[in-house]
Amino acid sequence: MSKVFFTDLRTNPKRNLLDKIEDLLNRTKINEKINKNDIVAIKIHFGEYGNTAYLRPVFLRRIVERIKNLGGKPFLTDTNTLYTGSRSDAVSHLTTAIRNGFDYACVECPIIIADGIRGATGIKIPIDGDILKEVSIAKEIVEADAMIVVTHFKAHELSGFGGSLKNIGMGCATREGKLVQHSNVAPIIKSNNCKGCRTCLDYCPAGAIAIKDKKASIDPEKCIGCGECIIICSFNAIQIQWNESPDIFQKKMVEYAFGVLKGKEKKIIYINFVMQVSPACDCYPNNDAPIVRDIGILASTDPVAIDTASCDLVNNEKSIPNTAIKKPLKKGDDKWRALYPLIDWNIQLEHAQMLGLGEKTYTLVKI
């Protein structure tokens, strides 16, 4: 049975919230996970510009300080998005991160976008999943010696909730990997938007795009699903077919998490902030009101246990009135199902347990 360490948000002048974060890190035996000169990836979601539910940069600073005290070399990181937004290429992504407060002056460590300028810099990792036999993981994630996965725990429209498993499974994938998880077919051309500019032809490594009558088309037999054309199109003419079922999406996401963990099983710590639990992903350029009160912070070396414990803590709360949960819910009611009735969020936890990523049974240790 895995241990999940938990602290509420109560503080006093002698022990503030930053001190509690460091206490959680120490309980996970961070000193045994990070060696001198280890390059340590701190996996974070910088938040889409306009969204304010992302984690406060000052929280990351205390984590950075603890890693440095152990002789590690930390960097903040995330991967570029599949959709077109304020984080869809490394230049825009870095700009957004800095505008949201994640600059060196605050966190005292550099930011590295893990999958390169346009999300194509990755390493293929062989796995033995039920669905996937190979996953495309961001190169700088693979090459880091250790990782601290820092997650804003929230609801999500495809997986029910977004926790540590999603942070690594989706958040550490290249653009190709994200496309594999979201879709099982090639992107499509929205002909009304296409200007026949031919830019996409130069970026398609498979030669799957052709121009006829000043309009682009994609040959699904040649398409390798890299997603390069989606982001390079200036007219939003090349679009993802968001056709993967939620059940298969969750399993693919977990199998990507399995690929991320290969070689780092003893070198990863997970921290979930169950605060400002918003009803949708931080990828939106806005965030709705929290569905429950701010609960606390959890830490573990088991991603399945920490996500299970975080779900239990949220579901053991009453819902807040006048939020995305229209009907008031009492303690014990399923908040994720209330938001997304068609999503069985347990699938990701059960699939991760089956693959050996961790276990759903846990002991909650309050500190």
Side-chain angles (χ1 to χ4, degrees), residues 68-97:
K68 286 184 174 180
N69 288 338
L70 292 169
K73 300 176 182 179
F75 67 97
L76 301 188
T77 194
D78 197 3
T79 57
N80 295 309
T81 59
L82 181 58
Y83 59 86
T84 301
S86 72
R87 298 178 301 117
S88 56
D89 62 78
V91 176
S92 302
H93 204 155
L94 287 167
T95 301
T96 298

Side-chain angles (χ1 to χ4, degrees), residues 79-134:
T79 57
N80 295 309
T81 59
L82 181 58
Y83 59 86
T84 301
S86 72
R87 298 178 301 117
S88 56
D89 62 78
V91 176
S92 302
H93 204 155
L94 287 167
T95 301
T96 298
I98 292 168
R99 292 179 80 182
N100 284 347
F102 295 94
D103 58 351
Y104 197 98
C106 180
V107 297
E108 293 191 344
C109 79
I111 301 172
I112 300 173
I113 303 304
D115 58 345
I117 291 178
R118 288 195 168 92
T121 307
I123 295 177
K124 296 294 181 67
I125 305 295
I127 64 168
D128 187 21
D130 278 4
I131 302 171
L132 305 172
K133 302 304 176 184
E134 183 181 73

Side-chain angles (χ1 to χ4, degrees), residues 28-41 144-149 261-270 300-301:
T28 62
K29 299 181 180 179
I30 188 174
N31 60 306
E32 297 179 5
K33 308 289 187 299
I34 296 173
N35 301 320
K36 187 176 180 180
N37 293 323
D38 273 356
I39 295 178
V40 184
D145 300 304
M147 186 157 61
I148 311 294
V149 180
L261 298 186
K262 287 192 72 173
K264 289 189 180 67
E265 293 86 351
K266 305 294 185 182
K267 303 277 284 183
I268 301 186
I269 293 170
Y270 306 89
S300 182
T301 57

Side-chain angles (χ1 to χ4, degrees), residues 15-284:
R15 188 167 182 248
N16 60 37
L17 199 56
L18 302 180
D19 296 330
K20 285 190 162 190
I21 292 171
E22 187 165 341
D23 287 347
L24 287 168
L25 288 170
N26 291 335
R27 291 298 188 100
T28 62
K29 299 181 180 179
I30 188 174
N31 60 306
E32 297 179 5
K33 308 289 187 299
I34 296 173
N35 301 320
K36 187 176 180 180
N37 293 323
D38 273 356
I39 295 178
V40 184
I42 303 176
K43 175 62 181 71
I44 184 72
H45 192 306
F46 295 115
E48 196 73 11
Y49 189 68
N51 188 299
T52 59
Y54 59 87
L55 297 177
R56 300 170 195 170
V58 69
F59 294 157
L60 280 298
R61 180 169 179 158
R62 180 56 70 94
I63 297 170
V64 166
E65 290 172 349
R66 185 70 184 99
I67 294 169
K68 286 184 174 180
N69 288 338
L70 292 169
K73 300 176 182 179
F75 67 97
L76 301 188
T77 194
D78 197 3
T79 57
N80 295 309
T81 59
L82 181 58
Y83 59 86
T84 301
S86 72
R87 298 178 301 117
S88 56
D89 62 78
V91 176
S92 302
H93 204 155
L94 287 167
T95 301
T96 298
I98 292 168
R99 292 179 80 182
N100 284 347
F102 295 94
D103 58 351
Y104 197 98
C106 180
V107 297
E108 293 191 344
C109 79
I111 301 172
I112 300 173
I113 303 304
D115 58 345
I117 291 178
R118 288 195 168 92
T121 307
I123 295 177
K124 296 294 181 67
I125 305 295
I127 64 168
D128 187 21
D130 278 4
I131 302 171
L132 305 172
K133 302 304 176 184
E134 183 181 73
V135 293
S136 179
I137 306 300
K139 187 173 186 287
E140 312 311 336
I141 295 291
V142 176
E143 294 195 345
D145 300 304
M147 186 157 61
I148 311 294
V149 180
V150 185
T151 303
H152 170 224
F153 193 81
K154 56 202 169 292
H156 192 274
E157 57 276 20
L158 283 179
S159 54
F161 71 89
S164 288
L165 288 168
K166 184 175 183 298
N167 197 1
I168 55 174
M170 182 62 64
C172 293
T174 62
R175 175 164 287 110
E176 176 185 352
K178 291 181 175 69
L179 185 59
V180 166
Q181 293 177 60
H182 281 102
S183 179
N184 57 29
V185 292
I188 58 172
I189 305 291
K190 192 173 182 180
S191 59
N192 290 341
N193 290 3
C194 181
K195 308 300 181 184
C197 68
R198 306 181 69 85
T199 302
C200 54
L201 272 65
D202 295 331
Y203 283 86
C204 179
I209 304 176
I211 301 290
K212 184 177 181 180
D213 297 328
K214 297 184 179 181
K215 298 293 181 181
S217 63
I218 297 176
D219 184 341
E221 297 299 321
K222 292 183 179 180
C223 178
I224 60 173
C226 68
E228 283 286 302
C229 58
I230 297 168
I231 195 63
I232 204 64
C233 180
S234 301
F235 307 102
N236 197 32
I238 306 178
Q239 300 185 355
I240 307 155
Q241 298 195 63
W242 305 92
N243 70 329
E244 192 57 272
S245 73
D247 293 4
I248 299 300
F249 166 80
Q250 290 185 67
K251 289 183 177 181
K252 286 181 177 180
M253 181 183 78
V254 166
E255 293 184 8
Y256 259 79
F258 182 71
V260 172
L261 298 186
K262 287 192 72 173
K264 289 189 180 67
E265 293 86 351
K266 305 294 185 182
K267 303 277 284 183
I268 301 186
I269 293 170
Y270 306 89
I271 304 175
N272 281 2
F273 285 75
V274 190
M275 302 163 55
Q276 201 165 356
V277 183
S278 46
C281 184
D282 291 347
C283 292
Y284 287 102

